[in-house]
Amino acid sequence: MKVAIMGYGVVGSGVASLLKKNYDQIVKKSMQTEMELAYILDRRTFPGDPNEHLVMADYTRIVSDPDVRIVVETMGGLHPAFEYVSACLEAGKSVVTSNKELVAAKGYELLKIAERKNVNFLFEASVGGGIPIIRPITQCLAANDIDEIAGILNGTTNFILTMMIEKGMTFDEALLLAQRNGYAERDPSADVDGFDACRKICILAALCFGKHVYPDEVHTEGIRGIQLADVDYARAWGGVIKLIARAKRLAPNKIAALVSPAFVQGHSQLATVDDVFNAILVRGDAIGDVVFYGKGAGAMPTASAVVADVIDCAKHLERRKFFGWQDSEPDYIADYLDIENAVYLRVTAEDPAAALAAIGSTLGAVQMLKRENAPDGELAFITEPITERKLRAVLAEIPAAVQSMIRVTDY
Ligand code: HSE
């Protein structure tokens, strides 16, 4: 059986080397007699690479070769990945991808093609890199009604926040270090503005709750605004700040989905997930809370998940795996302004006594926080659970300027 790889970057080359390194056991576990890496699609050339002779730039050669049964897409981006993957599925080939942008935007559409052509479209590596999460949700936890899923889904932002918390670096200093270490892109927007985590929670929400969630439906906030003052107040509260992507069932046909920085209690399993590691907490009615932890990026961890999908496809060439993933519906995603949360606020006031009185009369009991060397007029506190819509109205009545507002989680 022939396999092709589209995109010979970090992940694609990792897939090729893992296929070679563990070839015998991969073939055996695939229940095949052989597995030939036959084509690598990439516009670049790779002089001296052991697979140099396989690299070519014409994707139609893969599509038109009937012996290619499985195609690995590791190009990234939406176009032309979508067109190439569609063409491969239409040609009756199973496709495995690590491309979260593709799955988050086009997962439903591509699964429909796969269903029609009776082939598989698998994407374990698209969320959490090497962490097993797609199969656990769709198979191991299938008996549960899943209430909520929340995770640290972006390694770059988790590294930046870890450096701010543990080394007292500013956001800019930590971002520079992340770029020097090769974690963050030169344009780090997808990471630090939360878009990467957003795509991943869309995929997880679709799997947990059964309907496609499109990234532009999910309110997304990144970590650019986090100050060391907020890190200090989180510590005083007994926790840490993490970029949390989450989705929660509110009613049979309504979910909340959100990406934002959040205060996480120190005893939470998510609080100790540091550096570039990822973790995903799934809350099911039978299992309770279960957490999946590991390396969310990198060539070999991601290749581990991709090649596992290749093995799964090879074992199920004549049998399609069913995800039960429907298209979205209007009003399926709740307005984030109507979601209740306890909230951390840091404000500055010219007259702190007047601001405190107004806070007491509008917000009721709040938990005041203290930090060393706080400037005059700075107040920080945690509210009781409140919708953001109501909180905004209340804040207009308080004589203070909001410097920071961060949601508080209960896990
Ligand atoms: N930029 C991503 C991260 C890579 O930092 O987690 C893995 O999707």
Side-chain angles (χ1 to χ4, degrees):
M1 189 189 61
K2 288 184 184 174
V3 173
I5 295 175
M6 303 197 296
Y8 201 50
V10 173
V11 179
S13 56
V15 169
S17 63
L18 188 57
L19 280 172
K20 189 171 173 191
K21 178 174 180 288
N22 293 346
Y23 179 81
D24 289 342
Q25 61 158 314
I26 289 166
V27 168
K28 194 172 163 204
K29 288 177 181 170
S30 300
M31 300 169 81
Q32 301 293 315
T33 50
E34 46 94 48
M35 192 179 278
E36 180 198 350
L37 177 56
Y39 304 95
I40 293 174
L41 180 77
D42 206 295
R43 279 199 297 262
R44 299 165 292 182
T45 55
F46 297 86
D49 186 279
N51 295 312
E52 184 186 358
H53 60 293
L54 301 176
V55 180
M56 51 92 208
D58 178 8
Y59 84 100
T60 62
R61 284 178 60 194
I62 296 173
V63 175
S64 61
D65 184 339
D67 293 334
V68 174
R69 303 293 303 274
I70 302 168
V71 179
V72 171
E73 186 274 303
T74 45
M75 300 163 62
L78 206 45
H79 302 289
F82 174 63
E83 289 73 18
Y84 292 1
V85 168
S86 303
C88 290
L89 293 170
E90 290 285 2
K93 302 173 194 315
S94 287
V95 175
V96 169
T97 184
S98 60
N99 184 343
K100 58 250 170 175
E101 195 172 350
L102 178 71
V103 183
K106 301 286 186 183
Y108 170 71
E109 222 169 300
L110 292 169
L111 284 166
K112 289 296 280 182
I113 303 175
E115 183 180 340
R116 182 161 46 75
K117 303 306 288 191
N118 205 30
V119 291
N120 282 305
F121 176 59
L122 301 184
F123 41 88
E124 180 67 64
S126 65
V127 182
I131 304 172
I133 185 63
I134 307 287
R135 247 176 224 82
I137 289 173
T138 53
Q139 296 180 15
C140 317
L141 299 176
N144 284 261
D145 222 352
I146 294 176
D147 301 317
E148 186 161 0
I149 182 156
I152 295 168
L153 300 179
N154 181 269
T156 304
T157 44
N158 203 45
F159 175 81
I160 291 171
L161 290 171
T162 304
M163 291 301 109
M164 293 177 75
I165 293 163
E166 289 185 359
K167 309 268 192 238
M169 287 185 190
T170 63
F171 170 80
D172 289 333
E173 289 165 347
L175 172 59
L176 200 62
L177 184 61
Q179 281 171 320
R180 283 204 187 120
N181 286 358
Y183 303 144
E185 308 293 329
R186 186 173 286 273
D187 172 7
S189 181
D191 295 312
V192 298
D193 293 321
F195 305 129
D196 178 73
C198 173
R199 290 167 188 144
K200 293 168 179 168
I201 198 66
C202 288
I203 298 168
L204 295 179
L207 294 168
C208 288
F209 306 122
K211 285 194 172 68
H212 198 115
V213 176
Y214 291 93
D216 60 5
E217 298 174 300
V218 176
H219 178 73
T220 300
E221 296 170 20
I223 63 163
R224 284 186 202 266
I226 305 293
Q227 305 279 317
L228 287 174
D230 305 316
V231 171
D232 287 345
Y233 280 122
R235 191 177 289 121
W237 172 72
V240 287
I241 301 173
K242 294 286 181 192
L243 183 69
I244 301 289
R246 52 194 162 131
K248 183 181 170 107
R249 190 192 291 284
L250 300 177
N253 206 21
K254 175 95 77 197
I255 68 160
L258 194 69
V259 178
S260 75
F263 271 34
V264 177
Q265 282 283 1
H267 57 69
S268 163
Q269 293 192 74
L270 296 182
T272 51
V273 176
D274 288 333
D275 296 318
V276 285
F277 281 83
N278 284 193
I280 302 132
L281 179 148
V282 184
R283 191 167 276 182
D285 61 348
I287 185 90
D289 286 357
V290 58
V291 177
F292 301 84
Y293 169 87
K295 289 186 179 158
M300 279 300 155
T302 311
S304 157
V306 170
V307 175
D309 275 351
V310 169
I311 293 170
D312 208 355
C313 285
K315 274 165 68 181
H316 298 101
L317 283 174
E318 313 301 335
R319 198 150 54 89
R320 194 175 54 79
K321 299 189 64 133
F322 181 66
F323 284 107
W325 176 329
Q326 304 297 311
D327 203 0
S328 190
E329 283 178 11
D331 298 327
Y332 174 57
I333 315 287
D335 188 332
Y336 77 98
L337 292 174
D338 295 321
I339 301 167
E340 273 207 342
N341 256 294
V343 176
Y344 151 84
L345 283 154
R346 178 167 56 88
V347 303
T348 47
E350 281 181 19
D351 182 348
L356 268 175
I359 289 166
S361 64
T362 54
L363 286 168
V366 295
Q367 180 189 354
M368 298 304 299
L369 302 175
K370 295 264 173 261
R371 68 167 175 134
E372 277 179 21
N373 305 321
D376 286 346
E378 182 177 86
L379 299 170
F381 54 93
I382 309 267
T383 70
E384 289 290 307
I386 183 170
T387 68
E388 198 162 324
R389 194 181 298 283
K390 198 166 166 199
L391 182 63
R392 284 186 185 191
V394 164
L395 287 175
E397 295 172 33
I398 297 174
V402 176
Q403 305 299 334
S404 193
M405 189 181 111
I406 301 176
R407 294 170 184 84
V408 177
T409 62
D410 64 349
Y411 32 72

